[in-house]
């Protein structure tokens, strides 16, 4: 593909970077990224991916814009109250960059549709607000061999990791490696419904969603460009009150029921849907 004069001007700051250049920008323009949720995490991540020129952005969300969303969900505005979030999101993203193909799905991710929906995308961003969806998306990405960038927020803390158990860490290449960990290596099973505070009860600092969502977009661009050091095998933990970041090494669990050598999960599972959180680190989008 050849760049238009308009594209050269729009993406000039990317093209000045030796790690990106024209070749890297073409990769971005050809990339296909799918976001679970048009809420607190999906808002900043898709805004920056659209601005970067990601060619195709898919978004799934079944909800409508509510006044309580506007404290953190910057894709939406007072003018879009009551409208489907995916419609509001598409308008905002297209206004930022009309070259981006925004594809919306006004639906809830379920075992019946997730494989079909994510099939045509390269990278999946999870900004969901409940455990059943998080485990379902992790399992679907594992079976489909898709890279999953999982962000979560809770009150004043955020977490981020990249999950690609189908890939081999460079240090282990050719040495009988077993791959990177999946989400179930961190959390084998969802907690029982009602065990932890609901989304409405726990609260969240609105700007925290911006921090973690932008980091999700950063990780997605790094994966598209194959630059920098992946977060796969690491969990980034951010404490907004202390203004601190630290990395926790995450190892592949040899007993993981999904990606371990003797899996007991061989198909998608449905869990009871409940808007729950785990403290710390689970999504409140």
């Amino acid at each position: 593909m050849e760049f238009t004069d308009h594209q050269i001007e729009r993406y000039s700051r990317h093209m000045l970077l030796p790690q990106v250049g024209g070749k890297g920008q073409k990769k971005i323009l050809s990339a296909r990224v799918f976001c679970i949720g048009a809420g607190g995490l999906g808002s900043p991540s898709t805004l920056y991916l659209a601005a970067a020129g990601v060619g195709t952005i898919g978004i799934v969300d079944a909800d409508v814009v509510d006044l309580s969303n506007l404290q953190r969900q910057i894709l939406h505005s007072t003018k879009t109250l009551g409208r489907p979030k995916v419609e509001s999101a598409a308008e905002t993203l297209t206004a930022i960059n009309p070259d981006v193909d925004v594809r919306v799905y006004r639906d809830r991710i379920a075992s019946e549709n997730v494989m079909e929906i994510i099939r045509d995308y390269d990278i999946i961003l999870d900004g969901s607000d409940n455990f059943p969806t998080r485990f379902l998306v992790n399992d679907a990405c594992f079976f489909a061999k898709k890279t999953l960038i999982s962000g979560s927020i809770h009150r004043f803390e955020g977490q981020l990791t990249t999950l690609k158990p189908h890939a081999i860490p460079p240090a282990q290449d050719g040495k009988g490696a077993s791959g990177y960990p999946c989400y179930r290596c961190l959390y084998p099973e969802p907690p029982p419904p009602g065990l932890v505070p609901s989304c409405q009860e726990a609260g969240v600092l609105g700007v925290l969603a911006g921090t973690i969502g932008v980091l999700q977009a950063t990780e997605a661009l790094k994966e598209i460009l194959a630059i920098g050091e992946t977060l796969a095998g690491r969990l980034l933990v951010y404490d907004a009150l202390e203004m601190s970041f630290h990395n926790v090494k995450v190892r592949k669990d040899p007993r993981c029921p999904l990606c371990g050598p003797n899996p007991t999960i061989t198909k998608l599972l449905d869990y009871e849907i409940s808007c729950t959180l785990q403290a710390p680190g689970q999504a409140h989008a």
Side-chain angles (χ1 to χ4, degrees):
M1 64 172 288
E2 296 297 326
F3 292 110
T4 64
D5 291 343
H6 178 85
Q7 288 174 321
I8 291 172
E9 182 176 0
R10 179 184 284 271
Y11 306 119
S12 61
R13 301 304 188 271
H14 273 176
M15 294 180 181
L16 290 170
L17 294 169
Q19 297 90 337
V20 182
K23 185 180 294 186
Q25 188 60 47
K26 288 180 180 180
K27 289 181 180 179
I28 295 172
L29 291 168
S30 299
R32 304 166 68 89
V33 178
F34 186 75
C35 185
I36 312 292
L41 296 174
S43 289
S45 60
T46 56
L47 280 168
Y48 269 99
L49 292 175
V54 169
T56 303
I57 297 176
I59 307 175
V60 63
D61 201 305
D63 293 336
V64 298
V65 180
D66 181 81
L67 186 60
S68 66
N69 302 148
L70 302 186
Q71 166 248 19
R72 63 203 176 281
Q73 300 182 15
I74 58 175
L75 273 175
H76 317 298
S77 71
T78 305
K79 292 182 179 180
T80 62
L81 287 174
R83 293 184 56 193
K85 285 186 180 179
V86 289
E87 291 183 9
S88 174
E91 284 186 9
T92 303
L93 298 178
T94 303
I96 289 174
N97 191 345
D99 292 338
V100 176
D101 179 13
V102 182
R103 302 183 180 181
V104 300
Y105 306 78
R106 192 183 178 191
D107 204 350
R108 296 195 184 279
I109 285 291
S111 59
E112 294 81 10
N113 63 14
V114 62
M115 298 301 288
E116 178 67 21
I117 290 177
I118 69 172
R119 181 184 61 187
D120 296 328
Y121 293 90
D122 310 311
I123 296 172
I124 313 301
L125 271 57
D126 189 358
S128 60
D129 64 357
N130 65 81
F131 276 110
T133 300
R134 286 188 167 271
F135 279 84
L136 176 65
V137 170
N138 171 74
D139 297 355
C141 287
F142 173 77
F143 292 130
K145 296 185 177 180
K146 304 285 185 181
T147 295
L148 172 62
I149 300 172
S150 177
S152 58
I153 54 177
H154 176 75
R155 292 181 174 167
F156 297 96
E157 181 183 288
Q159 295 185 2
L160 179 71
T161 189
T162 295
L163 304 164
K164 47 180 183 179
H166 55 282
I168 302 298
Q172 300 179 16
D173 195 15
K175 300 179 182 178
S178 57
Y180 291 106
C182 76
Y183 190 73
R184 288 183 183 271
C185 293
L186 278 167
Y187 309 106
E189 294 288 339
L195 180 66
V196 287
S198 72
C199 292
Q200 290 77 21
E201 294 167 338
V204 65
L205 184 68
V207 71
L208 183 65
T211 303
I212 301 302
V214 168
L215 290 174
Q216 278 186 289
T218 304
E219 277 298 293
L221 291 172
K222 284 168 54 185
E223 290 289 333
I224 292 166
L225 295 167
I227 61 174
E229 185 176 349
T230 181
L231 263 180
R234 293 184 292 146
L235 180 68
L236 181 68
V237 181
Y238 169 60
D239 187 320
L241 293 180
E242 294 182 357
M243 194 53 70
S244 65
F245 289 88
H246 66 272
N247 280 278
V248 178
K249 193 166 186 178
V250 180
R251 299 187 182 278
K252 192 176 184 71
D253 184 357
R255 298 170 298 177
C256 178
L258 180 70
C259 71
N262 300 298
T264 57
I265 298 174
T266 57
K267 63 179 182 179
L268 297 178
L269 302 177
D270 283 313
Y271 293 97
E272 180 181 347
I273 294 294
S274 62
C275 192
T276 58
L277 297 174
Q278 178 177 8
Q282 295 313 309
H284 182 138

